[in-house]
């Protein structure tokens, strides 16, 4: 057996890993012989298989990909891409010691919350804020602190599932809040909430239908109405001398829009500031959806309530690490200048970029591809498509976009997509429509173009060499 390739790999791959790969390759060959699929020991094949799996094992599992799907907030691909300033801040925080829980001003222990709280308050008009691991954690914590063992009233139209693993009824059960469902799927009226109030009601919960919209014969109760209902119940309790906590109005707002995105017109997501002004005591949202920052969950609202959340054991269990805090702080700082936010936060830039600019990028990609792919291999064209924001945001907004369409003269779309994802150091994620592969220019950057072209070119090369062999 020619073991030189293995020996060369020994310099870059830990020996234990090489031995494992060699054993697995021998085992696989033995099984094939026993199953009658091979009749002799093929040493070269074993060696090649062992080297390939050793090289594959060298690749990190969490890798960069190119998102050519056009879905800007793609949960499977990591939701928001961080702004350069946020990336820099992460590197700084990771590379050395930091003021994570230390105040140089006081020369003493400081608060982890301090780094982002003031910024969040400035940007949303809130009295106080706390950031935890993600919005699911934030919802869980709010329910556990204010509604555990009590009743929380929620409309049947808002018992939503967001992504496979976040369901409002399940989170409520987990937090020990007693869910009181009111209204019908399509319509809930203020009187539905009023009738459901008892002395044990702790909360009126509103859940933003992030990833869908109900249209037609529908009605939901506004935040202002919920505020009014809570206020009159609280006044009644005081007048009756009841010794129970106030009913809170809490909105799980989801997307975390800090700016109004005019391009989306009537379907633009309400901002966090609007939710607070609408009368919510507490509002929670994600850090990595429309906000465009790292994975995080932020709760804003009245100081007395946020102070209680800061002391909750879940706040400790779900606290942010220094790298996330650094990214969040840097992202929030960009919002202090709304133009800088639109320009530098990739999620906002991609969502609001003019379709004409997207078209130019699509054309640049097509022209570069024409130099690598011949008309006998594929027909390339630019097509107009409508995209979606993704990540449970802006579900009604059609986002005009442009794609490069590859129509196959040899090979086919499925095989090409497989090559782009499985055979490349930087996988390219595209989509297939009517036997063509589409590369959406809205979610790629100019620096991705060479890589996409090389990926498609190498697919056609692989067809040619398969034919020769
Ligand atoms: C996305 C979303 C969640 C879950 O947030 P994560 O940050 O993904 O944990 C919860 N509620 C609403 C309304 C959402 O849109």
């Amino acid at each position: 057996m020619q073991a030189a390739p293995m020996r060369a790999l020994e310099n870059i791959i830990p020996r234990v890993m090489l031995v494992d790969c060699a054993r697995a390759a021998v085992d696989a060959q033995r099984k094939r012989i026993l199953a009658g699929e091979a009749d002799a020991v093929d040493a070269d094949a074993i060696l090649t298989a062992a080297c390939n799996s050793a090289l594959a094992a060298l690749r990190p599992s969490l890798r960069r990909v190119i998102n050519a799907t056009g879905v800007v907030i793609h949960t499977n691909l990591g939701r928001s891409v961080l702004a350069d300033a946020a990336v820099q801040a992460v590197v700084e925080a990771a590379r050395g010691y930091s003021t994570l829980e230390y105040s140089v001003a006081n020369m003493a222990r400081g608060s982890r919350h301090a780094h982002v709280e003031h910024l969040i308050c400035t940007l949303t008009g809130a009295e106080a804020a706390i950031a935890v691991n993600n919005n699911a954690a934030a919802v869980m914590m709010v329910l556990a602190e204010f509604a555990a063992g009590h009743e929380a009233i929620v409309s049947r139209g808002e018992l939503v599932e967001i992504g496979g693993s976040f369901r409002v009824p399940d989170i409520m059960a987990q937090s020990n809040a007693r869910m009181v469902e009111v209204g019908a799927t399509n319509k809930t009226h203020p009187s539905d909430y009023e009738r459901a109030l008892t002395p044990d009601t702790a909360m009126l919960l509103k859940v933003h239908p992030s990833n869908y919209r109900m249209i037609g014969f529908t009605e939901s109760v506004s935040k202002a109405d919920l505020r009014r209902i809570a206020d009159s119940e609280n006044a009644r309790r005081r007048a009756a001398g009841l010794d129970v906590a106030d009913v809170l109005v809490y909105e799980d707002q989801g997307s975390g829009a800090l700016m109004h995105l005019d391009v989306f017109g009537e379907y633009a997501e309400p901002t966090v500031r609007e939710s607070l002004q609408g009368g919510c005591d507490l509002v929670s949202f994600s850090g990595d959806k429309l906000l465009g920052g790292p994975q995080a969950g932020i709760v804003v609202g009245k100081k007395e309530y946020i102070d209680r959340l800061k002391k909750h054991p879940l706040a400790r269990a779900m606290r942010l690490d220094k790298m996330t805090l650094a990214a969040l702080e840097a992202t929030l700082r960009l919002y202090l200048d709304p133009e800088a936010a639109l320009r530098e936060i990739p999620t906002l830039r991609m969502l609001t970029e003019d379709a004409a600019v997207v078209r130019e990028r699509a054309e640049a990609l097509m022209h570069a591809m024409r130099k690598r792919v011949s008309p006998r291999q594929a027909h390339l064209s630019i097509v107009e498509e409508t995209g979606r924001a993704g990540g449970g945001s802006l579900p009604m907004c059609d986002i005009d976009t442009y794609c490069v369409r590859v129509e196959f003269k040899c090979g086919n779309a499925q095989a090409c997509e497989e090559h782009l994802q499985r055979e490349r150091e930087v996988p390219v994620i595209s989509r297939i429509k009517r036997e063509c592969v589409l590369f959406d220019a809205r979610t790629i950057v100019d620096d991705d173009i060479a890589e996409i072209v090389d990926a498609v070119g190498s697919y056609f090369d692989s067809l040619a060499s398969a034919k020769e062999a």
Side-chain angles (χ1 to χ4, degrees):
M1 179 147 113
Q2 176 51 264
M6 261 321 219
R7 227 166 267 134
L9 285 180
E10 243 183 314
N11 295 326
I12 46 171
I13 301 175
R15 202 182 154 74
V16 278
M17 230 151 125
L18 277 181
V19 172
D20 271 355
C21 291
R23 286 211 179 106
V26 171
D27 271 355
Q29 176 88 331
R30 182 181 296 131
K31 287 209 181 86
R32 270 196 302 279
I33 292 173
L34 290 176
E37 291 162 16
D39 40 36
V41 176
D42 181 347
D44 280 346
I46 292 176
L47 194 58
T48 307
C51 289
N52 283 345
S53 62
L55 284 171
L58 261 193
R59 279 186 180 154
S61 169
L62 180 61
R63 290 190 284 155
R64 181 170 99 86
V65 300
I66 290 174
N67 175 10
T69 65
V71 179
V72 176
I73 308 173
H74 197 307
T75 297
N76 299 152
L77 303 184
R79 286 206 186 150
S80 283
V81 173
L82 294 181
D84 287 343
V87 173
Q88 272 309 315
V90 171
V91 171
E92 283 284 305
R95 195 174 263 158
Y97 294 103
S98 61
T99 55
L100 181 62
E101 286 189 4
Y102 190 81
S103 160
V104 285
N106 300 336
M107 297 197 291
R109 192 191 162 143
S111 156
R112 179 183 293 255
H113 303 299
H115 307 293
V116 291
E117 181 166 14
H118 186 70
L119 278 167
I120 297 168
C121 292
T122 304
L123 295 168
T124 62
E127 276 179 24
I130 178 175
V132 291
N133 226 331
N134 52 34
N135 189 31
V139 177
M140 179 83 194
M141 190 171 72
V142 170
L143 291 173
E145 173 63 27
F146 298 103
H150 300 284
E151 291 170 0
I153 305 177
V154 60
S155 159
R156 290 200 171 87
E158 297 173 9
L159 293 174
V160 298
E161 170 172 320
I162 292 148
S165 51
F166 182 92
R167 280 183 164 182
V168 173
D170 297 345
I171 295 267
M172 292 192 84
Q174 197 53 236
S175 70
N176 286 323
R178 283 202 301 284
M179 181 169 73
V180 178
E181 301 171 33
V182 295
T185 304
N186 58 333
K187 279 203 174 198
T188 305
H189 305 285
S191 58
D192 293 322
Y193 289 88
E194 280 161 345
R195 271 202 303 274
L197 284 168
T198 74
D200 206 24
T201 305
M203 180 184 286
L204 307 181
L205 166 65
K206 194 158 180 62
V207 183
H208 184 62
S210 294
N211 48 0
Y212 74 105
R213 286 290 183 276
M214 291 198 296
I215 51 173
F217 191 62
T218 68
E219 206 170 309
S220 65
V221 178
S222 71
K223 280 165 272 219
D225 280 338
L226 291 182
R227 178 75 266 155
R228 190 179 47 70
I229 293 165
D231 283 346
S232 63
E233 171 67 9
N234 293 337
R236 204 186 57 76
R237 288 177 180 188
R238 272 188 214 108
L242 281 180
D243 185 24
V244 290
D246 277 354
V247 175
L248 292 189
V249 179
Y250 162 48
E251 182 182 36
D252 173 16
Q253 195 259 6
S255 70
L258 294 185
M259 284 165 65
H260 208 79
L261 298 178
D262 296 329
V263 289
F264 299 117
E266 62 173 314
Y267 294 123
E269 298 280 337
T271 64
V272 175
R273 186 183 286 276
E274 284 163 355
S275 288
L276 285 170
Q277 282 169 348
C280 296
D281 294 298
L282 291 170
V283 177
S284 72
F285 51 95
S286 295
D288 55 357
K289 292 184 180 170
L290 277 185
L291 196 151
Q295 180 190 301
I298 298 168
V299 191
V300 294
K302 297 218 173 89
K303 183 169 183 316
E304 58 168 308
Y305 299 134
I306 299 290
D307 283 347
R308 279 171 61 183
L309 291 176
K310 285 178 182 168
K311 293 195 197 98
H312 197 284
L314 283 177
R316 171 64 181 79
M318 296 162 169
R319 75 182 184 187
L320 287 180
D321 80 302
K322 62 192 175 192
M323 291 181 281
T324 307
L325 263 173
L328 186 58
E329 182 187 355
T331 307
L332 292 168
R333 270 183 201 288
L334 291 171
Y335 276 97
L336 296 174
D337 174 358
E339 277 174 23
L342 284 173
R343 192 176 58 236
E344 288 170 38
I345 296 173
T347 297
L348 294 184
R349 190 190 64 232
M350 289 181 201
L351 284 173
T352 59
E353 193 168 59
D354 203 78
V357 179
V358 177
R359 187 183 175 115
E360 277 169 31
R361 195 177 305 116
E363 277 166 1
L365 173 60
M366 183 178 70
H367 291 307
M369 216 178 270
R370 283 215 168 120
K371 293 190 187 123
R372 183 77 159 76
V373 174
S374 81
R376 278 179 294 106
Q377 292 171 317
H379 176 66
L380 307 178
S381 56
I382 303 282
V383 287
E384 192 179 354
E385 287 281 322
T386 36
R388 287 276 185 266
S393 303
L394 303 163
M396 296 297 285
C397 296
D398 291 338
I399 304 176
D400 293 336
T401 191
Y402 288 92
C403 300
V404 172
R405 180 173 64 186
V406 180
E407 202 182 327
F408 293 82
K409 301 285 175 202
C410 57
N412 64 69
Q414 271 77 21
C416 179
E417 206 170 49
E418 255 181 66
H419 181 90
L420 295 179
Q421 296 192 22
R422 296 211 179 126
E423 306 297 330
R424 302 291 300 173
E425 201 57 46
V426 181
V428 180
I429 317 296
S430 52
R431 67 196 146 98
I432 293 180
K433 190 172 174 183
R434 293 196 202 96
E435 307 301 314
C436 296
V437 172
L438 298 184
F439 298 96
D440 195 316
R442 187 167 284 280
T443 47
I444 65 169
V445 293
D446 292 344
D447 287 348
D448 295 333
I449 288 179
E451 183 65 37
I452 297 172
V453 167
D454 196 53
V456 174
S458 77
Y459 167 66
F460 288 110
D461 293 348
S462 75
L463 291 181
S465 52
K467 208 177 271 172
E468 276 162 30

